[in-house]
Amino acid sequence: MTIENLSSNKSFDGWHKQYSHHSDTLGCAMRFAIYLPPQASASQRVPVLYWLSGLTCTDENFMQKAGAQRVAAQLGMAIVAPDTSPRGDAVADDDGYDLGQGAGFYVNATREPWKRHYRMYDYVLDELPTLVESNFPVSDRRAIAGHSMGGHGSLVLALRNPDRYTSVSAFSPIANPSNCPWGRKALTAYLGGDAARWADYDASLLMCRAQDGVPALVDQGDADEFVAEQLKPETLEAAAAASGYPLQLHRRDGYDHSYFFVASFIEQHLRFHARHLGL
């Protein structure tokens, strides 16, 4: 698979690089960013944390605002951040910020006009890691994390594929999309109105029935304007209690939904993943 380098910036003796490529899974050009720590070389392949961003975001939000590179460089951990959806003139879109381009919800759409391009679940699970592991000095040891819509995506991917990830974490995830306005709108559009089909993309429902799973860390700010109506962290807590899932969920006093919150606790998340990645 051919990739095109769009930018390169040295950071903490490693490199932040942005690439574009044609995605067969999504049927369009896609962009992703990768941070390669100084330990990454032809003789040393490093593990990868995949970061999934939230509504309206691209690969740039996390890489430019979270301040993760310093600790990733210390730990010897690569970070890969894809875009949040397919994009382009031929890709279906919606006037709302919470559906269509910038709002892929990390699902495989089954309904028109979305199903041709909106297959972010498969893209993150299979195509992107294959591309990254084929082109960069990284290993197949993977962890996954995300924020808001990306927190939903990271939890769903890890819960459904515990053999693919060593650990999962999330900031302010949409924990129960079947039961919140953002989730119901997106899941109805992408999957149809039968709510039974939504269960495979609902972290709380998946966690409630999980038989085993990778360790999970979630941070939620109690000053988050979306916490009660959209995020519903209590549903994750109830699910973990019901199934005995290895979940740590921290409620952070005074923190909101912004990247100020993510930047405040990203070091703890990276070190959490480093332990499970064997670093």
Side-chain angles (χ1 to χ4, degrees):
M1 290 179 279
T2 301
I3 62 174
E4 177 186 358
N5 181 232
L6 302 177
S7 66
S8 298
N9 302 92
K10 194 168 186 178
S11 178
F12 296 98
D13 289 326
W15 287 92
H16 169 272
K17 298 187 177 186
Q18 193 178 55
Y19 289 88
S20 67
H21 74 104
H22 176 79
S23 168
D24 290 336
T25 301
L26 303 176
C28 65
M30 284 295 286
R31 194 174 73 189
F32 70 92
I34 184 168
Y35 177 70
L36 291 167
Q39 296 88 340
S41 67
S43 61
Q44 183 175 351
R45 301 176 75 85
V46 299
V48 182
L49 173 68
Y50 288 85
W51 175 270
L52 307 183
S53 291
L55 289 168
T56 75
C57 291
T58 69
D59 60 290
E60 294 182 340
N61 297 72
F62 176 79
M63 290 300 203
Q64 295 182 11
K65 295 180 179 181
Q69 291 88 345
R70 176 184 61 83
V71 178
Q74 292 174 1
L75 296 171
M77 178 191 300
I79 302 174
V80 171
D83 201 348
T84 53
S85 78
R87 297 183 192 267
D89 293 341
V91 175
D93 201 5
D94 185 85
D95 290 338
Y97 73 95
D98 51 356
L99 185 66
Q101 296 186 34
F105 268 83
Y106 306 100
V107 304
N108 287 340
T110 58
R111 306 282 289 184
E112 296 289 359
W114 313 103
K115 66 179 184 179
R116 170 65 186 90
H117 298 285
Y118 284 76
R119 302 187 60 82
M120 287 297 293
Y121 178 90
D122 280 353
Y123 176 73
V124 173
L125 181 65
D126 293 318
E127 186 177 18
L128 183 60
T130 298
L131 181 72
V132 168
E133 291 162 20
S134 299
N135 286 278
F136 302 99
V138 302
S139 73
D140 61 0
R141 294 279 290 171
R142 311 177 195 98
I144 192 165
H147 172 235
S148 194
M149 178 185 72
H152 140 77
S154 65
L155 288 167
V156 166
L157 280 151
L159 285 160
R160 290 178 58 176
N161 304 277
D163 58 324
R164 299 292 297 272
Y165 305 100
T166 63
S167 48
V168 58
S169 72
F171 290 85
S172 315
I174 303 172
N176 187 201
S178 298
N179 192 34
C180 76
W182 279 340
R184 286 195 294 266
K185 178 178 179 178
L187 296 177
T188 299
Y190 295 142
L191 304 176
D194 182 358
R197 297 183 177 180
W198 303 351
D200 284 342
Y201 297 104
D202 188 307
S204 292
L205 298 180
L206 291 167
M207 189 174 287
C208 191
R209 65 178 192 241
Q211 298 299 308
D212 58 8
V214 300
L217 171 65
V218 172
D219 271 301
Q220 174 63 62
D222 69 3
D224 190 320
E225 63 183 302
F226 303 114
V227 64
E229 183 180 25
Q230 303 282 14
L231 306 181
K232 302 183 181 294
E234 68 278 1
T235 64
L236 271 185
E237 292 173 312
S243 65
Y245 197 90
L247 169 69
Q248 303 175 51
L249 193 152
H250 303 294
R251 296 175 184 268
R252 303 295 188 179
D253 182 40
Y255 285 92
D256 59 18
H257 199 71
S258 72
Y259 266 88
F260 293 107
F261 173 42
V262 175
S264 297
F265 296 99
I266 191 61
E267 180 168 356
Q268 289 93 319
H269 282 238
L270 293 180
R271 294 192 182 280
F272 166 79
H273 290 296
R275 290 194 300 272
H276 297 289
L277 287 165
L279 294 173

